[in-house]
Amino acid sequence: MFGNYLIGLREGLEASLVVCILIAYLVKTGRRDRLAPVWAGIAAAVVLSMAFGAVLQYGSTQLSFEAQEALGGSLSIVAVGLVTWMVFWMRRTARHLKAELHGKLDAALAMGTFALVVTAFLAVGREGLETALFIWTAVQATSDGVRPLVGAVLGLLTSVVLGWMFYRGALKINLAKFFTWTGAMLVVVAAGVLAYGVHDLQEAGWIPGLANQAFDISSTIPKDSWYGTLLKGVFNFQPDPTVLQVAVWAAYLVPTLFLFLRTSGGSAPKPAAAVAPSAAERA
């Protein structure tokens, strides 16, 4: 639940900030009559994200075992790529998100209602599709269709509450630190998803080395124990990984986390701390 709560919270908060900025801008500029198209675009993005997740789940069950493993492994790698891009992108652009969205919204207002719908749809839809894909890979990795979804829903609900509090001016958070810490945790989670994806591709026969185990500590950390389940759910830990899984995990985690923390540490100027109050402009 924790790993997916983090995904729901992180992605949901990004979407909530976007919604806050769009709605607050329209309200403060006296364009409340244009709120309906924005809400329509947001609703369409939510529906598309849910449909995408349903298609992934239903479609994968119709495939053979090898095809399921190949699909799961491939999409896991894609999900890791998207999450990695997302944490670096958000860390770099959070300070300028408000100005960027205002510019897009002004252009959409000039073009008409349909452009408003599209702008809101694209702004929220990206986070929704990323969330659906990453949660689906987590469900496949843990073979548990309940707790990952519960964690994701709780994370999304938390992000909605935080977004509303931002909009009302009732909450101020140093978003630079928030995105740094959650980003670092997501990199660790993504490393486990990547290792799981590689294992899936090995089971599908796309990558060799399935029989070459790096170690086996199943007797110490049984897969069905509470702590084994916890490690599996949060970090996608496997007590009997292959050599390639361990190599890929380390090759991704160490340099990615190093670069992310170094970038965060060197690009966290004081103005970033003001992102939270400026996102809603105390509407």
Side-chain angles (χ1 to χ4, degrees), residues 68-186:
Q68 287 185 29
E69 297 301 295
L71 177 65
S74 301
L75 290 182
S76 295
I77 294 173
V78 171
V80 169
L82 288 174
V83 168
T84 305
W85 171 82
M86 177 265 294
V87 296
F88 277 96
W89 177 84
M90 193 61 188
R91 187 67 190 91
R92 185 177 64 253
T93 62
R95 289 171 292 155
H96 313 293
L97 184 62
K98 175 174 172 286
E100 180 182 339
L101 285 173
H102 282 182
K104 291 181 179 179
L105 192 55
D106 282 334
L109 285 167
M111 294 176 65
T113 300
F114 180 73
L116 274 177
V117 174
V118 172
T119 299
F121 175 81
L122 294 178
V124 178
R126 185 193 64 208
E127 279 81 10
L129 293 176
E130 288 177 357
T131 303
L133 177 57
F134 206 79
I135 291 173
W136 181 81
T137 59
V139 170
Q140 301 305 305
T142 58
S143 299
D144 185 346
V146 178
R147 281 172 289 190
L149 291 179
V150 171
V153 169
L154 290 176
L156 290 171
L157 291 177
T158 303
S159 70
V160 170
V161 173
L162 291 176
W164 179 81
M165 295 177 72
F166 279 135
Y167 179 80
R168 302 302 302 176
L171 179 66
K172 297 179 182 179
I173 292 179
N174 188 320
L175 292 183
K177 290 185 178 181
F178 174 83
F179 284 123
T180 295
W181 285 107
T182 57
M185 287 188 286
L186 278 182

Side-chain angles (χ1 to χ4, degrees), residues 202-251:
Q202 287 181 313
E203 289 193 323
W206 285 23
I207 298 178
L210 182 61
N212 298 327
Q213 285 188 340
F215 54 82
D216 188 350
I217 55 175
S218 300
S219 58
T220 304
I221 307 179
K223 293 181 179 180
D224 56 354
S225 63
W226 69 267
Y227 45 92
T229 302
L230 181 63
L231 290 172
K232 177 69 173 178
V234 177
F235 304 110
N236 273 285
F237 173 79
Q238 185 176 335
D240 54 348
T242 64
V243 173
L244 184 58
Q245 277 184 274
V246 175
V248 168
W249 179 84

